[in-house]
Amino acid sequence: MRYVCRSFLLCLLLPVMVQAAAVLRMEGHLGRERVEEAIELVRTLEGGELVVEVDSYTGDLQAVLELAGEIYRLKSDHGVKTVVYVKNSAVGPSAVLPFLADELYVSRVVAWGDVPAGSDTTLPLNLLRSRLRSLIPSGKAELLLLAQGMIDPDFVIVEEGGRWVVGPVAGARVISPKGETLVVHEGQLQELGLVAGVLSPRVFEGRFLPEEEKAPPLEASAVQGGGAAGAWLEAPRLLKRARLWDRSCRPSHRPRGKSPAVGRR
């Protein structure tokens, strides 16, 4: 009976566990075709956690905004927690994605900002401002300030009394001068309290994708047709774990006093 119950419980939990976490790597040039494949993946998710790893400085801004809209819908409709890790660069269109983070992690050499840079497409400033602000929850004044600075080269940001504010202000330290779109680094993000942690790529992968549970990443460029997105989920590791659980439930013929090796860490 014990064996039957554990197997039955596994059958109930497996569909939920398969959707528990997904990893999306947005690296290199984020062109229209590649981003549409990522959108296809996001539309298959209905819960759990989404981990987005970003390392890009060129792409299609309009397409990335559409992807951001789908992730925002996933968060608001299904309560999906979104963890974003900026590995090196989130510059150009990819700079939109960290604004969606429930938890933001960065590396020591991070650069984040200048949303219009390196884009295949352009949007009027007022439209871009509206689209980006719509992704930021109310009450996040620091993020709204960063968003404006990252899209508008005429928007001046200064530090006054330990806070970043709209400039110019006489005597205040200039953070983002007129004529430059804002790009921030790791130290500034920590100063603003916007990051959950500063991690090397290896540490981040080890924390969010432990070796014994690691599955092939959800490469945005890997989709081949509508049915491929589901294969990106973490079914391989869960099925492997299921086999281990299944074997551990079988009657053991080992001598008393010795525990089975299966399941030991």
Side-chain angles (χ1 to χ4, degrees):
M1 178 61 69
R2 178 184 173 190
Y3 171 79
V4 173
C5 290
R6 290 186 67 178
S7 297
F8 178 70
L9 179 61
L10 175 61
C11 291
L12 290 178
L13 291 178
L14 189 57
V16 177
M17 293 169 66
V18 167
Q19 298 186 50
V23 180
L24 180 63
R25 286 182 173 163
M26 305 303 293
E27 301 178 332
H29 181 74
L30 304 182
R32 162 65 64 175
E33 182 177 356
R34 186 174 185 188
V35 175
E36 285 181 347
E37 291 166 349
I39 291 173
E40 179 182 349
L41 163 66
V42 171
R43 286 173 176 168
T44 68
L45 304 177
E46 295 182 351
E49 182 175 283
L50 176 65
V51 178
V52 183
E53 184 177 345
V54 181
D55 190 4
S56 172
Y57 53 88
T58 61
D60 188 315
L61 179 55
Q62 178 63 47
V64 173
L65 284 168
E66 292 171 14
L67 171 61
E70 289 296 329
I71 296 175
Y72 185 84
R73 177 196 58 79
L74 194 66
K75 286 161 55 73
S76 59
D77 292 354
H78 299 287
V80 171
K81 177 182 176 181
T82 303
V83 176
V84 177
Y85 177 61
V86 183
K87 184 177 181 181
N88 290 303
S89 299
V91 175
S94 69
V96 171
L97 299 174
F99 286 103
L100 295 158
D102 296 305
E103 290 183 9
L104 176 61
Y105 295 87
V106 298
S107 70
R108 289 284 181 190
V109 295
V110 68
W112 173 28
D114 198 351
V115 173
S119 177
D120 299 340
T121 56
T122 59
L123 280 81
L125 180 59
N126 60 341
L127 178 57
L128 179 55
R129 181 189 300 115
S130 177
R131 294 284 296 275
L132 195 54
R133 283 181 173 178
S134 68
L135 302 174
I136 301 172
S138 59
K140 299 289 186 178
E142 295 90 349
L143 288 180
L144 288 170
L145 187 72
L146 292 187
Q148 183 69 24
M150 289 180 183
I151 64 174
D152 186 354
D154 292 328
F155 189 77
V156 177
I157 300 176
V158 300
E159 181 184 10
E160 183 184 38
R163 297 177 59 248
W164 287 21
V165 298
V166 179
V169 175
R173 182 169 69 95
V174 177
I175 301 295
S176 182
K178 185 174 181 177
E180 296 182 9
T181 44
L182 177 66
V183 177
V184 295
H185 56 72
E186 165 263 331
Q188 292 170 320
L189 290 171
Q190 288 205 81
E191 179 184 327
L192 293 170
L194 295 177
V195 292
V198 179
L199 307 173
S200 69
R202 179 176 296 180
V203 171
F204 178 81
E205 184 174 289
R207 180 175 298 183
F208 287 88
L209 296 173
E211 188 64 33
E212 66 272 13
E213 298 184 358
K214 194 177 300 181
L218 308 187
E219 293 284 358
S221 60
V223 180
Q224 299 294 332
W232 282 344
L233 298 177
E234 299 192 53
R237 71 171 180 84
L238 294 172
L239 292 175
K240 178 181 178 181
R241 182 184 297 176
R243 288 196 295 270
L244 292 177
W245 287 352
D246 192 44
R247 293 209 309 265
S248 68
C249 295
R250 295 175 183 172
S252 174
H253 299 290
R254 298 176 181 272
R256 290 187 177 181
K258 293 185 179 182
S259 58
V262 176
R264 290 193 308 192
R265 295 184 179 270

